[in-house]
Amino acid sequence: MNVLLIGSGGREHAIAWKLAQSKRLSKLFIAPGNPGTAQCGQNIAIDVNNTKKLLECAQQNKVELVVVGPEDPLAGGIVDTFEAAGIKAFGPSGKAAQLEADKAFAKHLMRSSSISTAEGRSFDRFSDAKAYIASRDEPVVIKAAGLAKGKGVYVCDDPSDGILAAEKIMQDKIFGSAGDTIIVEDKLLGEEASILAFVDGRNIYLMESSQDHKPIGDGDTGPNTGGMGAYSPAPIVTDALMNQITREILVPVVDGMNRNGTPYKGVLYAGLMMTAGGPRVLEFNVRFGDPETQPILMRLKSDLLEVLLATCNGTLDEVTLNWDPRPAVCVVMASGGYPGDYEKGKIITGLDDVRELEDVVVFHAGTKEQNGDIVTSGGRVLGVTALGKTIADAKAAAYEGVDRITFDGVYYRRDIADKAIHVA
Ligand code: AMP
Ligand code: GLY
């Protein structure tokens, strides 16, 4: 079967790497892909939001399954377009993708489905938001309601910083129209975890747990990023908690989406805070997480293509996912300056040296080929991902890979997975 994968991040390299291992795969196309995905299939230079060209490409290449990585094209309804043309597409419809693309929609759904989340209010006028935030004396979390590449959330211990954040989002429009509406939320305390599940409209099949590291700095300091590293499993999420999360969060969301007339299909990603009062939802994403997908898929033993097809066909109850019991850790190597401004075009060296390491894979994200070199071309550049007997071993192996790679201005966190090592 020919497959078209849409996207160009570390997540898509991990998906391409796993799909390339499938017995059912004939040819894999990746649009636009990166130098990493080029080792797993054929890159095609079409932008992720150019639905017309992507559809033409799928038709010309007899593609039978389209896999959509990022949220933007999902929110734009790309799955609806492919399905209308008779091509299977993995991911939710444009309407169902509002669960991620519109945080006000997500809050509403959670409230009407009695799903535990932070108390929050939405505002579409800055003056109202400002008056509300000023009236509070506890920490606040300010969120752009629309899509902001994981950077639209400000956790403010001092409400006056909350007003500044609201101003940047609503008045200065730093995220464009994604900041027309904001959510002002209570700050939740606890440890975070990401729970990803395949959902076929009816059946829910959980993947292994994972944990991201959103802030740029060691010890979770500084501004939020798309994610600086991840590990799987997250020891904080016990089997009992997984059952509770399924019962109290995932099942009610899938039911709520059905009741809403926006049935859900694809990966449902619940970003959770494990509070003293139990798991609470921070956000939903409608796709694989990045970088969580890198360690998760390194641990998946089953054929990913079979699972994606079963999700599209509504037959998830017929598949079994097998996992490598060994933990995996992914360390993101970023361009200096990210999540703010950064330079591009820095030559990356050492990639070949990492190939000698067993159970270490370097997933490409913001890279490109230039005159025979691999150079940086984005904020998050590489995700060095390793399996290990214990989480500490996996961490050591990932950092051994990181140590062999360098580029001008490289930045990475040095404490990825420490939280898990302390729990385990
Ligand atoms: P989100 O994109 O909504 O997951 O938010 C990004 C990050 O901001 C999360 O991974 C948390 O680290 C943090 N965050 C979001 N909402 C809250 C909240 N209500 N309380 C504390 N931290 C939060
Ligand atoms: N790692 C967070 C995300 O994928 O949104």
Side-chain angles (χ1 to χ4, degrees):
M1 158 177 307
N2 290 351
V3 176
L4 170 63
L5 169 64
I6 296 173
S8 65
R11 163 184 52 211
E12 284 76 24
H13 185 186
I15 295 171
W17 174 83
K18 194 67 203 163
L19 286 176
Q21 298 167 22
S22 170
K23 287 195 192 73
R24 292 194 59 181
L25 183 78
S26 310
K27 203 147 185 222
L28 177 63
F29 302 93
I30 310 99
N34 62 36
T37 64
Q39 295 163 14
C40 313
Q42 181 184 334
N43 285 352
I44 299 193
I46 307 175
D47 184 81
V48 300
N49 290 309
N50 192 340
T51 308
K52 191 165 163 272
K53 276 245 165 71
L54 291 168
L55 179 59
E56 278 168 21
C57 164
Q59 285 165 335
Q60 276 159 15
N61 290 297
K62 301 197 169 28
V63 163
E64 288 178 72
L65 175 70
V66 177
V67 183
V68 188
E71 58 277 19
D72 270 353
L74 287 169
I78 199 167
V79 166
D80 311 66
T81 303
F82 280 111
E83 287 182 346
I87 300 175
K88 282 194 178 89
F90 179 85
S93 67
K95 280 195 176 145
Q98 298 312 301
L99 196 56
E100 172 169 359
D102 182 354
K103 286 184 193 282
F105 171 95
K107 271 278 178 229
H108 182 74
L109 187 104
M110 284 188 264
R111 218 169 276 137
S112 61
S113 304
S114 304
I115 294 168
S116 191
T117 180
E119 284 303 319
R121 289 183 54 177
S122 60
F123 295 92
D124 48 25
R125 283 193 7 209
F126 174 65
S127 52
D128 295 342
K130 184 177 171 186
Y132 174 69
I133 301 167
S135 73
R136 301 173 44 118
D137 48 16
E138 318 89 63
V140 283
V141 181
I142 311 292
K143 302 184 172 186
L147 295 176
K149 301 200 182 313
K151 300 173 199 163
V153 173
Y154 293 80
V155 180
C156 306
D157 286 325
D158 184 337
S160 62
D161 292 334
I163 293 175
L164 290 178
E167 192 171 352
K168 279 200 254 179
I169 299 172
M170 299 184 92
Q171 304 276 83
D172 303 344
K173 294 273 174 223
I174 57 168
F175 304 117
S177 60
D180 287 351
T181 301
I182 64 163
I183 316 288
V184 181
E185 244 179 45
D186 290 351
K187 180 180 172 185
L188 298 176
L189 296 178
E191 190 146 334
E192 286 180 52
S194 305
I195 302 299
L196 280 68
F198 293 104
V199 177
D200 68 3
R202 199 166 47 96
N203 301 294
I204 300 171
Y205 202 136
L206 266 68
M207 293 177 228
E208 289 279 276
S209 62
S210 60
Q211 181 160 352
D212 188 6
H213 297 63
K214 298 283 286 182
I216 186 75
D218 283 3
D220 285 341
T221 51
N224 275 330
T225 67
M228 294 303 294
Y231 55 83
S232 169
I236 185 168
V237 188
T238 57
D239 288 349
L241 273 172
M242 276 294 224
N243 289 336
Q244 187 184 354
I245 291 161
T246 307
R247 214 172 44 240
E248 296 178 5
I249 296 171
L250 299 177
V251 170
V253 180
V254 173
D255 285 351
M257 292 297 274
N258 275 325
R259 266 202 316 277
N260 211 30
T262 51
Y264 196 86
K265 167 174 75 70
V267 170
L268 176 59
Y269 164 141
L272 304 172
M273 187 71 90
M274 302 297 167
T275 71
R280 290 211 196 178
V281 176
L282 295 174
E283 66 165 344
F284 288 115
N285 293 324
V286 297
R287 49 169 176 84
F288 283 103
D290 192 350
E292 293 94 323
T293 300
Q294 290 82 312
I296 289 177
L297 290 188
M298 256 188 97
R299 297 187 58 220
L300 180 65
K301 288 182 163 172
S302 313
D303 185 329
L304 179 64
L305 184 48
E306 298 279 2
V307 186
L308 300 185
L309 282 170
T311 307
C312 291
N313 294 338
T315 55
L316 264 180
D317 46 345
E318 292 169 18
V319 302
T320 306
L321 297 183
N322 293 311
W323 299 96
D324 192 323
R326 291 176 298 168
V329 171
C330 169
V331 178
V332 170
M333 302 181 77
S335 298
Y338 174 78
D341 295 338
Y342 53 84
E343 291 178 10
K344 298 181 184 175
K346 310 292 182 197
I347 294 176
I348 303 168
T349 59
L351 289 168
D352 287 339
D353 301 336
V354 182
R355 287 212 186 95
E356 297 159 7
L357 299 175
E358 208 180 321
D359 290 327
V360 181
V361 180
V362 180
F363 293 113
H364 289 235
T367 68
K368 71 173 186 190
E369 205 186 318
Q370 195 174 285
N371 308 324
D373 289 318
I374 305 290
V375 302
T376 65
S377 72
R380 292 191 291 171
V381 177
L382 300 166
V384 183
T385 311
L387 287 163
K389 214 164 145 226
T390 63
I391 200 133
D393 292 340
K395 175 189 171 186
Y399 278 101
E400 194 178 338
V402 167
D403 283 343
R404 295 185 179 203
I405 300 171
T406 193
F407 53 87
D408 198 19
V410 60
Y411 172 81
Y412 52 88
R413 278 181 62 162
R414 289 167 194 278
D415 63 343
I416 302 301
D418 281 358
K419 281 182 244 185
I421 294 167
H422 296 146
V423 172

